[in-house]
Amino acid sequence: MAKQQDTKKLFENLSGAGKSIGVLTSGGDAQGMNAAVRAVVRMGIYVGAKVYFIHEGYQGMVDGGDNIEEASWESVSSMLQVGGTVIGSARCKEFRSHEGRLKAAHQLILRGITNLCVIGGDGSLTGANLFREEWSGLLEELVQQGLIDEEAAQNNSELHIVGMVGSIDNDFCGTDMTIGTDSALHRIIEVVDAIMTTAQSHQRTFVLEVMGRHCGYLALVSALACGADWVLIPEMPPEDGWEEHMCQKLSENRADKKRLNIIIVAEGAIDCHNKPITTNHIKELVVSCLGFDTRVTILGHVQRGGTPSAFDRILASRMGVEAVLALLEASDSTPACVVSLCGNQAVRLPLMECVQMTQDVQKSMDEKNFEEAVRLRGRSFENNLNTYKLLSYHKADSELPNSSFKVAVLNVGAPAAGMNAAVRSAVRVGIKEGHKMFAVNDGIEGFYKGQIKEIKWGDVAGWTGQGGSILGTKRTLPAKHLDKIAEQIRIHNINALLVIGGFEAFECLLQLYEARTSHEDFCIPMCVLPATISNNVPGTDLSIGADTSLNAIVETCDRIKQSASGTKRRVFIIETMGGYCGYLASVGGLAAGADTVYIYEEPFGIRDLQSNVEHLTEKMKTGIQRGLVLRNENSNENFTTDFIYQLYSEEGKGVFDCRKNVLGHMQQGGAPSPFDRNFGTKIAAKAIQWISRKLKESYKDGKVFANTEDTACLLGMRRRTMAFQPVVQLKDETDFAHRIPKEQWWLKLHPLMKILAKYKTSYDVSDSGQLEPVTRVRPKKAD
């Protein structure tokens, strides 16, 4: 452990004293930009640097004056939940000229700003890089013109640049998600869910146009998330004759008792001859070929608007803090970098390599090399596309492979939004692989009672957008019912098992695996998919359902903060769910801008409570006269929510008053977020493909026999990859008494919440700081 302490790189050793950082937003706005600005400002001030807002993007930098304004800690308060960009963004022709950049350099030097944090798209970031390359030349010119002296030129001889990508299209290569994309998906899915109810009433076909002139990410992911019948994107133009195929599929779906059709079109959709495909063309086609009542909806700027999702706030806050660290560590030899997300990890990548790759995508598309374009878009895009193809077209039963294997799917534990999307995906991919799929109702209880029936392609139509668990789920574990379960496996001749659920699902698979020694019926491939709002399953960074729950918490906190700001001097104590796992409280606190979070993983005592009250008392003397405190339900058995509420009420007398709120089961309900629909869909498809492989490997002499560790696995997201891990190996990583993993990645985010709430704390930055090359080679598929 001591050795680990030595290698830990703590950011207390990084100082911003004497440095000035300018932050600007440029190009099209995106939800979450404000969260990034807030994080840059607060982290910058925290490390002792001066931070300046540059209003109206590059135009403000060129014009100077009031457009460049020093930021204070309070000046970014209440920004977190606001969409768009508070500091303004503008397209600036002047900055594209040499004279414009000369003016901008002069304005920065007047204020000693030599560190720039640029939040925008690839055009904005390219402009910033050019500015950096010209910097020394611009300084020389300014000296020659007598606008600055030699000393000023020497003191400001290096310009450091860090970029963050704010773009709802997710069109920047090198990052899995850009700031704003998740929020735009929220807007699209809200609209699609609303349209579905009216379309069903009238048996209509709806053609929806979503943004994405050059990138089909929004169209592709929203099609996955709502189970659209057809999607058209620039990276995958349909082949000649697509019109006939599409109409055939629409009419087959109607014949299959489906009352509506949804077609999603990216605004930049083209056919294989690079001709645009418009929504009106599709409408005319459907009406003339099929006579269906068809309507067009163009979503337009709705997608850019509204409040940022929890994911975008967390992403932008992480990126903002990382950007300041990158600026503090930059030297004249480090290239301009962009902070980005790979899997679940923040990374730094060379800015121009990413820009070059982004431009190469367009070049490949112009040259009709669409496979290359998809590959350059990155693994996240490619995975989405492959999953969509897997789920998109239902062949007639006679055309499907026939494996004669029977695979059962069940939910175990508490309901979580996104479970149904996972079941739908598993059923459809299983049928495509040639298996007979069986659904088990009411978890393990239904299993041993024999509530098992075959489930067909059409049975799971429309499941992606449904919250809760349609199959029904219970917390019952198999240990006491092993004989009956084994009997049901024999009766129905089940060859493999997919369990979708939370900590109980993990325990369930562990018990079934350990019962293999006494029951040969359990010697079949088994896989568990983590689905719980608590995100407390070992072997995975994220669980299906946690994102939906975070959004519910953040939405409620936003409303509560708004009510508190009206009444002034009010502190809210909010209790979240999660059992002993502090994920919802901690990450929800980061996304909602909480002042304090109490979690089980970080023990606290009466002195901590006292210092938190003092911290809030100090805050009430500033212009921000409200407080938000989150407490995980099991954070401490003695310091209950009531106790903390009473303590704060007593200690805050005359300074602030208190209110408390227990969020309860509203955190478990609601329609699944786009992230949870997509995550559930993708991991279920991957799990079924793994089950198919294991079935083939373990089929000998007319029967399936699988008794090795690697045939009872949990599929989880670990940092950058999806990994199948034997459940028996995860036993050592688990604290069974408290039902949490012994190590949890998100605890590294916990100090961020404290820093952004003005607490002095230690922050381990060992993970960051390495500039990585952009990978163009396709990584080997992880099994």
Side-chain angles (χ1 to χ4, degrees), residues 209-242:
E209 181 183 289
V210 301
M211 280 185 167
R213 252 181 320 207
H214 306 293
C215 177
Y217 185 89
L218 288 178
L220 176 60
V221 175
S222 50
L224 254 184
C226 72
D229 297 273
W230 202 265
V231 66
L232 292 153
I233 58 171
E235 293 88 346
M236 187 185 69
E239 292 167 7
D240 286 332
W242 64 272

Side-chain angles (χ1 to χ4, degrees), residues 276-294:
I277 299 174
T278 64
T279 45
N280 281 333
H281 171 59
I282 293 168
K283 178 186 170 175
E284 286 160 15
L285 214 122
V286 175
V287 171
S288 61
C289 290
L290 301 168
F292 290 172
D293 184 359
T294 306

Side-chain angles (χ1 to χ4, degrees), residues 203-207 250 254 261 263 286 292-295:
Q203 297 200 37
R204 281 194 176 130
T205 295
F206 268 85
V207 186
L250 297 182
R254 281 292 170 92
N261 302 110
I263 299 163
V286 175
F292 290 172
D293 184 359
T294 306
R295 303 291 157 103

Side-chain angles (χ1 to χ4, degrees), residues 119-195:
I119 308 163
D122 60 336
S124 310
L125 300 182
T126 309
N129 191 63
L130 176 63
F131 191 41
R132 179 180 188 252
E133 284 172 354
E134 291 181 351
W135 186 252
S136 52
L138 295 170
L139 294 194
E140 278 173 31
E141 277 184 61
L142 291 169
V143 170
Q144 283 164 10
Q145 291 177 19
L147 291 167
I148 61 168
D149 56 25
E150 282 288 353
E151 191 187 351
Q154 271 180 334
N155 291 342
N156 300 288
S157 60
E158 287 174 23
L159 178 69
H160 300 303
I161 281 171
V162 172
M164 280 186 268
V165 191
S167 157
I168 67 165
D169 295 341
N170 204 24
D171 55 358
F172 192 80
C173 293
T175 180
D176 284 355
M177 282 293 258
T178 56
I179 295 165
T181 305
D182 187 67
S183 302
L185 285 171
H186 273 258
R187 296 300 91 80
I188 295 167
I189 292 305
E190 281 159 18
V191 171
V192 173
D193 284 354
I195 277 176

Side-chain angles (χ1 to χ4, degrees), residues 104 147 184 273 283 382 385 401 429 458 502-503 515 569 578 622 629 669 710 748 754 763 769-770 772:
L147 291 167
H273 306 293
K283 178 186 170 175
E382 210 169 355
L385 188 55
V429 174
F503 197 86
R569 298 181 179 278
T622 70
V629 175
D710 66 349
K748 282 195 172 172
K754 291 184 174 180
Y763 179 43
Q770 261 50 61
E772 304 185 7

Side-chain angles (χ1 to χ4, degrees), residues 125-126 129 161 163 172 336-338 349-356:
L125 300 182
T126 309
N129 191 63
I161 281 171
F172 192 80
C337 77
V338 58
L349 302 166
L351 190 146
M352 286 320 289
E353 282 186 37
C354 294
V355 168
Q356 186 55 54

